[in-house]
Amino acid sequence: MKTTPMNDDLATRLKEQGLRLTPQRQLILRAVEDLRHATPDEVLAHVRSQVSSVNASTVYRTLEVLEELGLVRHAHLSDRAPTYHSTVEHEHVHAVCRRCGTVRSYDPAVVQPVVDALAADGFVVDVGHLAIFGECAECGATGT
Amino acid sequence: MKTTPMNDDLATRLKEQGLRLTPQRQLILRAVEDLRHATPDEVLAHVRSQVSSVNASTVYRTLEVLEELGLVRHAHLSDRAPTYHSTVEHEHVHAVCRRCGTVRSYDPAVVQPVVDALAADGFVVDVGHLAIFGECAECGATGT
DNA sequence: TTCAGTGCAAAGCGTTTGCAGGGTG
DNA sequence: CACCCTGCAAACGCTTTGCACTGAA
């Protein structure tokens, strides 16, 4: 198994928690990074394309661990499965077109006014989790 | 069955679409209004507390119809079931504390800057669907 | 050698669907 | 009296869980 910066990070954080470094955990983290935005199912498929026989429950359990370690994050970009992405990328806000399903990423600065407004109330917004639904330019232009 | 303004609205809109006014549809719409924010399951329980034997599938099908008619809306305030609310109330944005689960409603004005920013991109935000996750003042003050 | 991690299978939860009977318009 | 709507039951998609075995440290 090759060593990458992210892998070192994984190994370190796992050790801190008394957890173990396994091939599955490395592969699943790599899959999330490669796919950029992926559901557990897509992660499973990606991992299986490299190594046979990885179980779905392992993917779910691993994504949970990786999220606790702060290496991945998830957001709900559809009514169905959640979407995971690596925290190596910059934090971003998702805008999802409900008509065509396209996901656009925006800089967190876009929602800063909202964050500030709610902060006045003592509410701390989890920007990375934010999903904004609506209709994109292409779909809107096409008319209804 | 009593007649209310909302019920008249329901009857009218159903007729426009060639659909039928049934006791179930009236009860389910009323339940959503009474509960303010409710999952399909909670709506079902509420309706059943008044009339026995209403089926879950009827609730799902009816909520879908009511949403198409523009009488109710839904947002995803948890990782599980969606939450429905009546459109009689003013449109509002939801802020959900991930720690205690409390849902706070905010005026859409709070997110206007975001709406404007994305509008510059041709993206039309569905404000009513928006759910902002984070941590509320009480939970934040308590420390981690 | 220990105990965290895995695969497997079954169950869980929320939701959808096919069908036949029932009630609205 | 046509046909929309309902209840029922089964199936569905995604996720979680219990258990015994495996393998990392």
Side-chain angles (χ1 to χ4, degrees), chain A residues 18-20 22 24-25 53-55 57-58 61-62 80:
Chain A
L19 302 177
R20 293 172 185 174
T22 66
Q24 287 89 335
R25 287 178 174 171
S53 89
V54 173
N55 198 270
S57 49
T58 299
R61 288 189 276 229
T62 300
R80 299 202 167 271

Side-chain angles (χ1 to χ4, degrees), chain A residues 5-70:
Chain A
M6 196 58 173
N7 242 318
D8 291 347
D9 215 356
L10 173 60
T12 306
R13 304 211 194 181
L14 283 170
K15 179 170 285 184
E16 285 172 2
Q17 307 293 319
L19 302 177
R20 293 172 185 174
L21 180 62
T22 66
Q24 287 89 335
R25 287 178 174 171
Q26 295 178 70
L27 287 166
I28 290 168
L29 175 55
R30 184 86 70 85
V32 171
E33 290 168 2
D34 290 351
L35 296 172
R36 317 260 311 182
H37 285 108
T39 62
D41 213 59
E42 291 164 344
V43 170
L44 177 60
H46 190 80
V47 172
R48 277 195 174 147
S49 72
Q50 301 168 25
V51 191
S52 51
S53 89
V54 173
N55 198 270
S57 49
T58 299
V59 172
Y60 285 107
R61 288 189 276 229
T62 300
L63 288 174
E64 197 179 334
V65 169
L66 294 179
E67 189 150 28
E68 280 164 10
L69 296 179

Side-chain angles (χ1 to χ4, degrees), chain B residues 6 67 119:
Chain B
M6 197 58 174
E67 190 150 28

Side-chain angles (χ1 to χ4, degrees), chain B residues 86-141:
Chain B
S86 163
T87 53
V88 165
E89 297 185 51
H90 294 123
E91 182 164 69
H92 54 278
V93 176
H94 300 98
V96 186
C97 176
R98 198 181 277 109
R99 203 175 290 259
C100 68
T102 304
V103 178
R104 244 154 285 240
S105 295
Y106 284 92
D107 190 277
V110 166
V111 297
Q112 196 56 47
V114 178
V115 172
D116 293 342
L118 299 213
D121 248 30
F123 192 95
V124 181
V125 175
D126 176 0
V127 174
H129 193 85
L130 199 58
I132 301 173
F133 289 84
E135 189 173 276
C136 71
E138 287 71 42
C139 292

Side-chain angles (χ1 to χ4, degrees), chain B residues 20-23 40 57 60-61 80-82:
Chain B
R20 292 174 185 172
L21 180 63
T22 66
S57 49
Y60 285 107
R61 286 189 277 227
R80 299 201 167 273

Side-chain angles (χ1 to χ4, degrees), chain A residues 92-106:
Chain A
H92 53 280
V93 176
H94 300 97
V96 187
C97 176
R98 197 180 279 112
R99 202 176 291 259
C100 68
T102 304
V103 177
R104 245 154 284 241
S105 296
Y106 284 92

